[in-house]
Amino acid sequence: MQQTQCWEPRQLAALSAVCALVLLLIFTSITEKWSEPIDTSHDDALFKQRPPEWPRDVPCKPTFMIIGAPKCGTTSLFEYLASHPRIVRPTEKELCFFSFWKRQRVLDTPGKLPTKSWEQYMHAVQGGVKRSIACDGLLSFEACPFYFNDRRAEAYLATTFPALKAIVLLRHPTDRAISAWHDRNPFGRMRVPGSSRVHIEPALRRMLELAQSGNRSVEHRDTRVLTVGLYYYGLERWGHARNASTLLVLRTEDMWTNGSASRPQMAKVTRFLALPGPVSARALLKRHNAAAGHTWMQEQPSRALRRDLDCFFATPNRRLYEWLRKRGQRFVKWRSTCRGIAVPDAPSMHASDAALEGSESAKGLAQFSRPGGRA
């Protein structure tokens, strides 16, 4: 009878050490890329030419898009709307054809062709099936949370789809930043220059220092976890040519009650899109891409760090509230622990324009910055 060979404890320990070293090397090679700013010298062909046109003989031209923000509930809203009988479900949520960030840094891999080919993007928006020229009487859309803070995406979309409606979900920026850190860190994709550890406290504090240094923009990788939450800059850009009938801003905290979607909030969405009938109640019971049940594994920041994050976002939040008030939109203010503390000025995040100067995409982009601006 053949006996099963067992591993000695020392052999197991050596094997574990080798596996740990290999994983460390893999994670290190990945995390180093996330500490770099966006390199605009590698603009691909899309951003070196005029925005593409949707041919008249191609059905299902998108009528609306969920444009952001990341980690604010866009996956759930996508699933709810995709379940509506009068909406075409695209082949995947984040096609992100117009997002420079997503195309160049995240989806530039085989198997993600809708983001690299205009023809395949149009096919993907139709749900991957052949439809009538009237799109079978349905509305088509996509959801790309990276459009919100991408000035090139806004400019190109405004030219290609001038009548496009946009939906934005905004979450408490401190909660959003912490959620984004947790989303990236487990996969070893997060490392901040000057911080030798990937624990949440030193990492986010280092990001705060960099974001307040005056040398970062919303498009820098190593502070993006924070700067995505500077919603005022994205809304100001998206709202310059859109009113309340074409831009809907929602608070993430208002979208869910006891784990299921708020019917009044979803009714607001269906009215905005002029959809016949509501989203099914069954579809609203599930919350998608949430960390529920796993939060006990996540490292939480200290109260002091939460306070400092709240202070970092305080001035941009006030600008956001004022911008929405002037547009006549009611928006409940988020809680803040930044009381009795000198609040820093809002960081100058429009440096992203300067960062783009000299790149191929910047040359001639101004002519597409408004609907009807095509040369």
Side-chain angles (χ1 to χ4, degrees):
M1 183 175 179
Q2 186 176 4
Q3 293 183 348
T4 304
Q5 183 177 2
C6 297
W7 288 77
E8 295 290 336
R10 285 183 297 179
Q11 292 175 313
L12 289 173
L15 180 61
S16 299
V18 170
C19 291
L21 180 59
V22 171
L23 290 174
L24 178 61
L25 292 174
I26 294 173
F27 287 171
T28 299
S29 65
I30 297 174
T31 56
E32 286 177 347
K33 294 183 179 180
W34 282 89
S35 65
E36 304 168 0
I38 288 183
D39 181 3
T40 56
S41 65
H42 293 91
D43 292 3
D44 65 10
L46 173 68
F47 298 101
K48 295 180 182 178
Q49 60 189 9
R50 66 175 64 247
E53 293 183 347
W54 192 278
R56 293 184 178 181
D57 60 346
V58 175
C60 301
K61 181 178 180 178
T63 54
F64 73 96
M65 291 187 185
I66 302 171
I67 62 170
K71 304 309 297 178
C72 290
T74 58
T75 301
S76 290
L77 185 57
F78 169 84
E79 292 293 340
Y80 301 154
L81 291 174
S83 71
H84 195 283
R86 304 307 300 171
I87 289 181
V88 175
R89 183 188 187 96
T91 56
E92 59 183 277
K93 177 200 170 193
E94 296 181 9
L95 299 175
C96 296
F97 181 83
F98 294 88
S99 172
F100 176 80
W101 168 269
K102 195 76 169 178
R103 287 165 63 88
Q104 294 287 56
R105 297 301 188 182
V106 182
L107 294 184
D108 193 14
T109 56
K112 296 295 184 181
L113 290 178
T115 66
K116 306 297 288 185
S117 162
W118 178 236
E119 289 71 24
Q120 294 194 34
Y121 173 79
M122 291 189 292
H123 184 64
V125 169
Q126 298 174 54
V129 300
K130 188 175 182 180
R131 299 186 183 275
S132 68
I133 193 63
C135 197
D136 302 334
L138 309 177
L139 300 181
S140 60
F141 80 117
E142 74 153 307
C144 180
F146 302 97
Y147 287 158
F148 182 63
N149 278 324
D150 190 329
R151 74 163 197 149
R152 283 162 292 194
E154 188 279 328
Y156 276 67
L157 284 167
T159 303
T160 305
F161 308 113
L164 184 75
K165 291 185 175 182
I167 302 175
V168 184
L169 278 167
L170 302 180
R171 179 182 182 182
H172 191 303
T174 296
D175 294 339
R176 197 220 69 85
I178 294 169
S179 176
W181 190 88
H182 284 143
D183 182 56
R184 293 182 177 183
N185 189 59
F187 299 96
R189 294 185 294 172
M190 181 72 64
R191 183 160 67 184
V192 183
S195 175
S196 60
R197 306 173 69 187
V198 291
H199 291 301
I200 190 169
E201 195 84 14
L204 291 187
R205 286 206 173 277
R206 178 57 178 160
M207 288 183 201
L208 274 174
E209 294 175 8
L210 293 172
Q212 293 171 330
S213 68
N215 298 320
R216 293 296 187 274
S217 74
V218 293
E219 296 189 5
H220 273 80
R221 292 164 171 263
D222 53 3
T223 54
R224 192 175 174 88
V225 163
L226 297 184
T227 56
V228 165
L230 302 174
Y231 304 131
Y232 167 76
Y233 297 102
L235 275 182
E236 183 185 43
R237 184 179 301 120
W238 275 90
H240 67 72
R242 293 175 176 83
N243 54 30
S245 66
T246 54
L247 178 63
L248 179 63
V249 182
L250 302 169
R251 252 183 35 126
T252 299
E253 291 81 2
D254 298 333
M255 284 298 296
W256 287 274
T257 304
N258 298 325
S260 60
S262 165
R263 294 190 183 185
Q265 289 297 309
M266 286 306 302
K268 184 184 295 186
V269 174
T270 54
R271 286 196 302 270
F272 173 73
L273 299 175
L275 283 171
V279 175
S280 71
R282 184 175 182 179
L284 301 180
L285 293 176
K286 184 177 180 180
R287 188 167 181 176
H288 301 265
N289 199 27
H294 303 285
T295 54
W296 63 274
M297 300 174 60
Q298 298 175 346
E299 184 182 16
Q300 296 302 314
S302 66
R303 291 184 179 181
L305 178 56
R306 278 186 174 272
R307 179 201 61 205
D308 292 344
L309 289 171
D310 283 354
C311 290
F312 173 76
F313 292 117
T315 300
N317 282 350
R318 282 201 295 268
R319 292 184 179 180
L320 168 69
Y321 303 147
E322 180 64 16
W323 187 87
L324 290 169
R325 185 191 65 79
K326 288 181 178 179
R327 289 171 64 93
Q329 179 161 350
R330 180 179 175 273
F331 192 91
V332 178
K333 296 180 180 180
W334 290 297
R335 70 188 185 283
S336 176
T337 59
C338 185
R339 300 185 182 90
I341 301 173
V343 177
D345 293 334
S348 178
M349 289 292 127
H350 284 302
S352 57
D353 292 353
L356 292 174
E357 289 180 1
S359 69
E360 290 296 328
S361 65
K363 300 173 183 177
L365 180 63
Q367 63 182 314
F368 305 126
S369 61
R370 298 289 186 274
R374 185 185 298 277

